[in-house]
């Protein structure tokens, strides 16, 4: 018996050593090719694609069937900030990153600054695709550089106003078209015992969407150094506006994405939500009892008669540093984000809203939804998408910005500080963080 | 006959506490029990609800009973991926803990029974290893496994799991006190080799310690989240902790998986909590 155990133990060791050496002959760890040499590889290639969109295998299967020589293997992980971005950076460092990765627009500058994404401008068809995509998404992936494309836009989150049509009508409130009217409506609704909306202390990118709509900028890069303007006049104006609503207890402050928050909408306590197109899913699942009573209108405006819109969220598909097949990877990324069949597949499995100009024409977006009283809400979002300011730029340290500003915002919610102060503090901390990361900042 | 017995037991119990302090203690215990059980109760109740009731009905009581339906949906979602994850977790944790126990026991036995130069230094280094959190080692391990191209494999999670410095510590302490030198000596005189002595004599005496090491290591591997997060990209290799975390991070995209996540958590936690209670019981024995 003793011998048997000893032998088993030895065999196990042997197996593990064999497995290790077998694996080491797999993926190579050589550096990638430069964009200048974006040429097809010889022979069949296999691409790894890491994304957290569920059901991406379906879209990849369509591609794999049509392209036997370029097989795409889908790998998954948690959402970007949940760990996948960290993994990408670790893998780039170790030289075994996947060929393709999903990167949200607000994280892309970080990858650009750390040289983690490949410039695919020279790859066939990439520059020609510019006209297929909504203008602002293209500037997100080029950073305004000439002859540079660092990713292919995938989806967007144009914003509009979700509101309880039934409650607004009962209270005799016209749908607010300006932020002033919105604040007035907030008072009426508060008198009725409800809240017009919920102010989230944690969704800093949603707040950025509001600043985006107000034509504000948080970051700018002149090619050499960054300007940080978290406390720009537009940004401060938006912060002051919401601070006013908070001071008068006109907005709820439920922690976002919790059951409490869902319940606020489900119970009719909270009447409206300025959110992105994907917010339709959140509200449909979070407030099932209110089905049929919602409607969507364009965002309230700062200037009457304008039609500016903000954006919240959206991803791109990037070729990561170290990929040995940038040409094939770029071809797949292009196909994935422009081909109607691929877009329809991703919409079916992951509810994505495409970044292409014609993406809104998909059959899935042409019907009215029962949850919204039969309204075709995607018409509103398609119109909003065309109005998003193309010049908005994300900074290279957004994770830090979100954390620091959220800290300040929770202080404002508890009354110990203000949103404007939070932006000022965030401004300074961002500059410090960028300097610490050896990123040039203009002061 | 019965009278002396009662008086003896009474004497044994010591002075009788007042009703007030006893009920006070019971109250504190009851509140603690309630506090610890409510989340588990909530999880179970949540797993029985459909998506609509999940937000709209009372969180701590049943609405329409959908548990079976939820579990069936969970089983069907992505071709039963959840059960693959459970299986992976059992494999990582079960096989990993078994090998870790063997290694730790061997080393603990060697440290206890053989005197050689550097023994204490070696032991102190191992003891220091107890203090290094697994999280801190995950990234260096990733870089090492990248060098040999073994990331995103079963081995990238399994191999680091078979190391248990705490197990070595426990095995050494236990071997010192429970395996008499005379017995080892006697085995040698009878012609038994060192390896045979270890497997036939020492392990018999060290079984309680081995069970404890196994259970501790099982729970450690089961709950180890960071290492698989960094190492794995292929969802077929995920342990259940990582898989559920990923599903949870997709809830905004696919609202319907919310019900799966809560029922999955329910299945998972009932399993691991029964294990951890088994573990604490055996810990007391060991």
């Amino acid at each position: 018996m003793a011998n048997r155990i000893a032998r088993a133990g030895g065999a196990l060791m042997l197996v593990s050593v064999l497995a290790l050496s077998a694996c080491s002959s797999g993926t190579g760890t050589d550096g990638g090719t430069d964009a200048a040499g974006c040429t097809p590889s010889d022979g069949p290639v296999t691409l790894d694609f890491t994304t957290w969109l569920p059901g991406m295998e379906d879209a990849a299967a369509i591609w794999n069937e049509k392209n036997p020589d370029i097989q795409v293997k889908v790998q998954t992980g948690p959402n970007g900030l949940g760990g996948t971005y960290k993994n990408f950076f670790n893998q780039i460092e170790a030289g075994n990153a996947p060929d393709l990765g999903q990167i949200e627009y607000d994280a892309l500058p970080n990858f650009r600054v750390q040289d983690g994404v490949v410039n695919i401008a020279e790859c066939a068809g990439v520059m020609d695709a510019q006209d297929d995509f909504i203008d602002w998404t293209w500037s997100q992936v080029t950073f305004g550089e000439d002859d540079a494309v660092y990713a292919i836009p995938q989806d967007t989150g144009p914003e509009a106003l979700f509101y309880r049509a039934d409650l607004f009508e009962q209270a005799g409130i016209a749908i607010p078209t300006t932020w002033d009217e919105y604040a007035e409506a907030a008072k009426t609704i508060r008198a009725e015992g409800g809240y017009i909306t919920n102010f989230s202390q944690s969704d800093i990118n949603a707040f950025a969407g509001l600043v985006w709509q107000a034509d504000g900028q948080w970051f700018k890069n002149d090619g050499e150094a960054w300007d940080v303007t978290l406390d720009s006049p537009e940004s401060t104006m938006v912060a002051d506006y919401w601070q006013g609503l908070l001071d008068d207890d006109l907005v709820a402050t439920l922690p976002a994405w919790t059951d409490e928050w869902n319940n606020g909408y489900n119970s009719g306590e909270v009447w409206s939500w300025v959110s992105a197109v994907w917010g339709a899913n959140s509200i449909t699942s979070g407030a099932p009892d209110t089905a049929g009573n919602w409607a969507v209108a364009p965002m309230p405006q700062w200037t009457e008669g304008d039609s500016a819109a903000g954006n919240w969220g959206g991803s791109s598909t990037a070729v990561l540093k170290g990929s040995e097949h940038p040409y094939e990877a770029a071809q797949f990324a292009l196909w994935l984000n422009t081909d109607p069949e691929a877009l329809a597949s991703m919409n079916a499995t992951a509810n994505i809203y495409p970044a292409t100009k014609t993406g809104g024409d998909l059959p899935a977006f042409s019907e009215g939804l029962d949850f919204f009283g039969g309204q075709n809400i995607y018409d509103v979002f398609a119109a909003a998408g065309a109005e998003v300011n193309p010049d908005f730029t994300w900074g290279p340290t957004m994770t830090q910005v979100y954390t620091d500003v959220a800290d300040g915002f929770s202080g404002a919610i508890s009354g110990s500080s203000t949103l404007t102060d939070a932006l000022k503090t965030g401004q300074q901390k961002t500059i410090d963080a960028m300097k610490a990361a050896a990123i040039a900042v203009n002061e | 006959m019965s009278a002396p017995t009662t008086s003896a037991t009474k004497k044994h119990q010591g002075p009788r506490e007042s009703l007030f302090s006893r009920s006070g203690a019971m109250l504190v215990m009851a509140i603690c029990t309630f506090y610890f059980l409510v989340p588990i109760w909530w999880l179970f109740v949540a797993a029985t609800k459909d998506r609509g009731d999940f937000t709209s009905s009372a969180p701590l009581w049943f609405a329409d009973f959908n548990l079976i339906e939820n579990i069936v949906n969970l089983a069907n979602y992505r071709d039963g991926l959840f059960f693959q994850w459970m299986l992976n977790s059992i494999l990582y944790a079960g096989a990993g803990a078994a090998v870790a126990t063997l290694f730790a026991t061997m080393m603990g036995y060697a440290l206890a029974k053989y005197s050689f130069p550097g023994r204490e230094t070696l032991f102190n280094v191992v003891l220091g290893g107890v203090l290094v959190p697994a999280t801190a080692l995950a990234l260096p391990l990733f870089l090492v496994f990248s060098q040999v191209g073994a990331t995103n494999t079963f081995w990238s999670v399994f191999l680091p799991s078979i190391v248990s410095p705490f197990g070595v510590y426990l095995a050494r302490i236990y071997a010192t006190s429970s395996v008499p030198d005379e017995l080892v000596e006697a085995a040698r005189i009878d012609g038994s080799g060192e390896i045979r002595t270890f497997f036939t004599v020492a392990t018999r005496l060290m079984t309680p310690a081995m069970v404890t090491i196994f259970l501790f290591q099982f729970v450690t591997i089961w709950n180890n989240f960071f290492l698989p997060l960094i190492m794995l990209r292929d969802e077929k290799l995920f342990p259940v902790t990582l898989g559920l975390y990923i599903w949870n991070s997709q809830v905004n995209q696919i609202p319907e998986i919310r019900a799966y996540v809560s029922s999955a958590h329910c299945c998972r936690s009932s399993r691991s909590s029964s294990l951890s209670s088994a573990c604490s019981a055996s810990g007391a024995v060991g």
Side-chain angles (χ1 to χ4, degrees), chain A residues 21-77:
Chain A
S21 52
C23 291
S24 57
S25 58
T27 30
T29 51
D30 304 332
T33 334
D34 276 338
C38 189
T39 48
S41 310
D42 295 332
V45 300
T46 304
L47 302 172
D48 285 336
F49 176 26
T50 298
T51 170
W52 57 90
L53 287 186
M56 187 62 87
E57 300 84 359
D58 296 359
I62 302 173
W63 165 272
N64 287 344
E65 192 162 318
K66 290 181 187 161
N67 298 276
D69 285 345
I70 309 175
Q71 292 291 300
V72 175
K73 237 173 76 190
V74 174
Q75 300 170 327
T76 189

Side-chain angles (χ1 to χ4, degrees), chain A residues 1-2 5-6 9 12-13 15-16 19-20 23-25 27 29 48 50 52-55 57 75-79 81-83 87 90-91 93-94 96-98 155 257-259 262-263 266 278 281-282 284-289 349-352, chain B residues 42 51-57 77-78 99 102-103 139 142-143 145-153 155 158-159 162 195-196 199-200 204 225-226 228-235 238 242 245-246 248-258:
Chain A
M1 150 146 187
I5 295 178
L12 199 97
M13 297 270 283
V15 166
S16 47
L20 268 172
C23 291
S24 57
S25 58
T27 30
T29 51
D48 285 336
T50 298
W52 57 90
L53 287 186
E57 300 84 359
Q75 300 170 327
T76 189
N79 60 25
L81 292 179
N87 283 350
N90 291 340
Q91 289 154 0
E93 179 83 32
N96 60 0
D155 67 321
W257 314 110
T258 59
D259 293 326
N262 280 328
N263 197 44
N266 198 32
W278 44 262
N281 302 314
S282 315
T284 309
S285 68
D289 292 355
T349 57
N351 293 318
I352 71 130
Chain B
W42 178 88
R51 231 183 339 131
D53 289 335
F54 185 73
T55 42
S56 55
S57 61
Y77 184 65
R78 299 184 68 80
V99 178
L102 179 70
F103 287 173
L139 191 52
F142 172 78
L143 295 174
F145 275 83
S146 293
Q147 288 293 315
V148 290
T151 58
N152 196 25
T153 59
W155 302 102
F158 183 80
L159 288 181
I162 61 179
I195 292 173
R196 185 173 172 189
F199 281 109
T200 50
R204 300 289 160 84
F225 164 76
F226 199 61
L229 172 69
I230 285 192
M231 289 286 188
L232 301 177
R233 289 188 250 159
D234 182 352
E235 64 179 4
F238 290 169
L242 178 61
Y245 173 75
I246 288 173
N248 206 17
S249 81
Q250 293 172 343
V251 164
N252 281 335
Q253 224 112 29
I254 310 259
E256 50 267 30
I257 65 177
R258 177 163 214 160

Side-chain angles (χ1 to χ4, degrees), chain A residues 40-328:
Chain A
S41 310
D42 295 332
V45 300
T46 304
L47 302 172
D48 285 336
F49 176 26
T50 298
T51 170
W52 57 90
L53 287 186
M56 187 62 87
E57 300 84 359
D58 296 359
I62 302 173
W63 165 272
N64 287 344
E65 192 162 318
K66 290 181 187 161
N67 298 276
D69 285 345
I70 309 175
Q71 292 291 300
V72 175
K73 237 173 76 190
V74 174
Q75 300 170 327
T76 189
N79 60 25
L81 292 179
T84 293
Y85 294 148
K86 271 223 172 75
N87 283 350
F88 282 165
F89 282 121
N90 291 340
Q91 289 154 0
I92 290 166
E93 179 83 32
N96 60 0
D99 298 277
L100 291 147
Q102 178 183 3
I103 301 177
E104 286 155 299
Y105 299 121
D106 54 0
L108 205 51
N110 191 7
F111 281 86
R112 168 78 186 96
V113 165
Q114 300 202 35
D115 203 20
V117 284
V118 177
N119 180 358
I120 51 172
E122 301 287 319
C123 299
V126 170
M127 285 309 250
D128 301 336
Q130 173 167 6
D131 293 336
D132 293 343
F133 292 98
I134 298 170
D135 296 341
W136 72 264
T137 63
W138 197 255
S139 56
Q140 292 287 317
V141 298
T142 58
F143 307 113
E145 296 172 32
D146 294 332
D147 300 324
V149 179
Y150 293 98
I152 303 294
Q154 181 161 75
D155 67 321
T156 63
E159 289 182 301
L161 173 70
F162 292 91
Y163 66 97
R164 283 286 297 274
D166 57 331
L167 296 177
F168 270 76
E169 193 177 320
Q170 278 164 28
I173 306 170
I175 307 313
T177 55
T178 66
W179 286 110
D180 286 340
E181 287 175 23
Y182 194 72
E184 283 307 310
K187 287 178 194 154
T188 320
I189 292 170
R190 193 73 195 98
E192 299 262 341
Y195 285 105
I196 191 163
T197 192
N198 184 69
F199 185 81
S200 165
Q201 55 195 24
S202 53
D203 293 318
I204 306 306
N205 42 5
F207 185 84
L210 298 172
V211 175
W212 193 338
Q213 185 217 12
D215 228 5
Q217 289 279 0
W218 275 4
F219 291 90
K220 213 170 165 184
N221 187 344
D222 58 12
E224 288 176 358
W226 291 82
D227 288 318
V228 183
T229 50
L230 258 61
D231 56 356
S232 66
E234 295 86 1
S235 188
T236 309
M237 170 182 77
V238 176
D240 286 343
Y241 175 84
W242 287 94
Q243 185 64 48
L245 295 179
L246 284 171
D247 287 345
D248 298 340
D249 184 34
L250 297 177
V251 289
T253 54
L254 306 167
W257 314 110
T258 59
D259 293 326
E260 208 184 342
W261 179 80
N262 280 328
N263 197 44
Y265 283 102
N266 198 32
S267 65
E269 188 195 359
V270 185
W271 290 25
S272 78
W273 185 29
V274 175
S275 182
V277 56
W278 44 262
N281 302 314
S282 315
I283 206 115
T284 309
S285 68
D289 292 355
T290 57
N293 297 331
W294 287 86
V296 175
M299 274 175 96
Q301 299 294 317
W302 291 103
T303 315
E304 205 171 340
D306 268 8
S307 55
N311 180 77
W312 179 8
S315 300
S316 63
T317 312
V319 179
L320 297 180
K321 194 85 182 177
S323 169
E324 286 165 18
H325 312 291
Y327 173 84
E328 285 78 9

